[in-house]
Amino acid sequence: MSPEAPAPDRRPPVGAGAAGYPERVQERRDAPLAPLTTLRLGGPARRLVTAETDEEVVRAVREADATGTPLLVLGGGSNLVVSDDGFDGTVVRVASTGVRFDGTRVEVAAGENWSALVDRVVAGAFAGIECLAGIPGSVGATPVQNVGAYGQEVADVLTEVVALDRGTGEVVTLPAAECGFAYRHSRFKAEPNRWVVLRVRMGLEDADGLSAPLKYAETARLLGVSPGDRVPIGDARDGVLRLRAGKGMVLDPDDHDTWSAGSFFTNPILDEGALAAFRRRVTERLGPEITPPLYPAGEGLTKTSAAWLIERAGFAKGHGDGPARISGKHTLALTNRGGARTADLLALAREVRAGVREAFGVTLVNEPVTVGVEL
């Protein structure tokens, strides 16, 4: 199938957020931000500008910088925790569109919906991002967090990022080697007030309709193959969507388990000293026969599972008795059960972080970006 043949478009309309929003809103004052986040939390923005082209994004950002106005750049709102007081400044919502294929290379505007892009790439039979299906949010946000799931990361395929450098006011093109990608990290995350992503360029693989080799054991097991095997690319995408849905990680307005920011905490990376101390705490608390999940994370570094830590510290699925609770499907997701405030969510996050630290001596780090609040 030609890559130009689009898959069914599941995107909300231009100007629509996670919970719905009026179309073609160019500028509003005292605009609610909660409908533009997947958590449905947060107070209003003093000024909300919806930018539908790169030029509009650049113009709005330059205007805010020139006048010294506080600025928040908003994509799909899937990785954002906004204060109940809102944002006293200008919010630029990136709503740019455009997908252009050139063989196995693709250039995508930052405002495009990521999950819809994955569907389109899979429909074109190109491999490389099929295991990133169902992740909410915009394309422009993916290099910031180096979004990853089920054995794939955006850094695996990204070749260039076109971004506005707010330090110079110029639009620049950064090759992947200059983006500082690491686990859930990038140069853009390290310098959050400097860069505004405008376009993302990727190099995909033409594997005759097959997926990239499956790296994640859970995915391979679901599909009845071994890690390292390839499967029809649509099967890989559909399998990941089933796994994500089972964990409440596919947006559903009727399912409060999906009213979240996805995984709220990143998997901790431990150096040798921290790892030794962690092993001792596990033995003391759970007994010598218990071995925590451990994965290589670079020279002298080891990654462990945040979900495992949360569960073993005594926080079960559904934990909480207020309007913010741990998801009933996945212990890494903190959810709004309806009627929650950001303060409720943060109280739950602090409870979980403190409990894990007390139990295992490991301090969890939040993955979502916080605006006007701190964990």
Side-chain angles (χ1 to χ4, degrees):
M1 183 182 294
S2 167
E4 296 299 337
D9 193 346
R10 300 186 179 93
R11 292 176 296 177
V14 173
Y21 210 70
E23 289 192 54
R24 298 291 178 186
V25 174
Q26 298 303 321
E27 181 172 339
R28 288 185 62 183
R29 301 281 177 167
D30 297 319
L33 291 177
L36 298 179
T37 74
T38 53
L39 275 164
R40 278 79 163 175
L41 297 177
R46 173 154 49 98
R47 177 173 177 253
L48 172 68
V49 177
T50 298
E52 297 181 344
T53 66
D54 292 358
E55 293 75 20
E56 290 179 4
V57 174
V58 170
R59 183 167 61 249
V61 172
R62 285 175 176 167
E63 175 189 312
D65 288 345
T67 57
T69 303
L71 176 70
L72 171 64
V73 178
L74 177 68
S78 61
N79 200 49
L80 203 61
V81 179
V82 179
S83 164
D84 289 315
D85 294 330
F87 186 74
D88 188 18
T90 294
V91 175
V92 176
R93 183 172 181 274
V94 179
S96 54
T97 57
V99 181
R100 184 171 63 86
F101 283 89
D102 180 10
T104 57
R105 297 188 175 275
V106 59
E107 178 181 284
V108 191
E112 286 281 348
N113 178 274
W114 173 261
S115 188
L117 173 68
V118 175
D119 288 345
R120 185 165 178 174
V121 168
V122 169
F126 290 143
I129 60 174
E130 59 278 1
C131 291
L132 302 179
I135 294 177
S138 63
V139 169
T142 58
V144 178
Q145 294 290 125
N146 185 19
V147 165
Y150 297 100
Q152 290 182 343
E153 290 182 334
V154 168
D156 296 337
V157 296
L158 190 142
T159 58
E160 292 180 329
V161 173
V162 179
L164 172 65
D165 183 347
R166 294 173 63 190
T168 65
E170 299 299 319
V171 174
V172 299
T173 299
L174 298 173
E178 296 181 12
C179 292
F181 289 125
Y183 169 69
R184 301 298 181 269
H185 194 70
S186 71
R187 181 178 185 177
F188 312 107
K189 186 175 181 178
E191 302 173 308
N193 296 319
R194 179 176 177 181
W195 304 102
V196 178
V197 175
L198 301 173
R199 295 189 165 267
V200 172
R201 294 171 181 155
M202 295 178 289
L204 305 169
E205 179 187 6
D206 186 351
D208 294 326
L210 297 178
S211 70
L214 297 175
K215 298 179 181 179
Y216 204 75
E218 186 179 15
T219 313
R221 187 165 53 248
L222 175 71
L223 297 173
V225 297
S226 300
D229 287 350
R230 295 177 184 262
V231 298
I233 194 168
D235 291 354
R237 187 270 312 276
D238 294 345
V240 164
L241 287 175
R242 290 201 299 275
L243 290 172
R244 291 186 64 85
K247 299 174 182 179
M249 295 293 185
V250 176
L251 293 180
D252 180 348
D254 297 323
D255 182 358
H256 283 275
D257 276 332
T258 74
W259 289 31
S260 76
S263 297
F264 196 88
F265 297 104
T266 60
N267 290 324
I269 305 293
L270 309 175
D271 61 23
E272 293 177 356
L275 176 61
F278 171 55
R279 286 181 182 274
R280 288 194 297 270
R281 296 290 285 270
V282 170
T283 298
E284 292 168 2
R285 182 178 179 87
L286 303 177
E289 71 281 2
I290 300 300
T291 301
L294 300 172
Y295 312 95
E299 186 174 355
L301 299 174
T302 301
K303 179 169 65 177
T304 191
S305 165
W308 187 92
L309 291 169
I310 292 168
E311 292 165 2
R312 299 316 188 276
F315 300 99
K317 296 173 184 176
H319 172 85
D321 55 8
R325 302 178 195 173
I326 292 177
S327 166
K329 299 182 178 73
H330 198 307
T331 49
L332 268 183
L334 307 187
T335 66
N336 173 7
R337 311 312 294 184
R341 302 174 71 247
T342 300
D344 300 319
L345 184 87
L346 292 177
L348 175 62
R350 290 167 185 145
E351 178 190 3
V352 171
R353 183 180 64 176
V356 168
R357 185 166 51 213
E358 180 180 357
F360 298 110
V362 175
T363 300
L364 295 177
V365 175
N366 55 288
E367 184 168 340
V369 175
T370 55
V371 177
V373 293
E374 292 183 0
L375 184 57

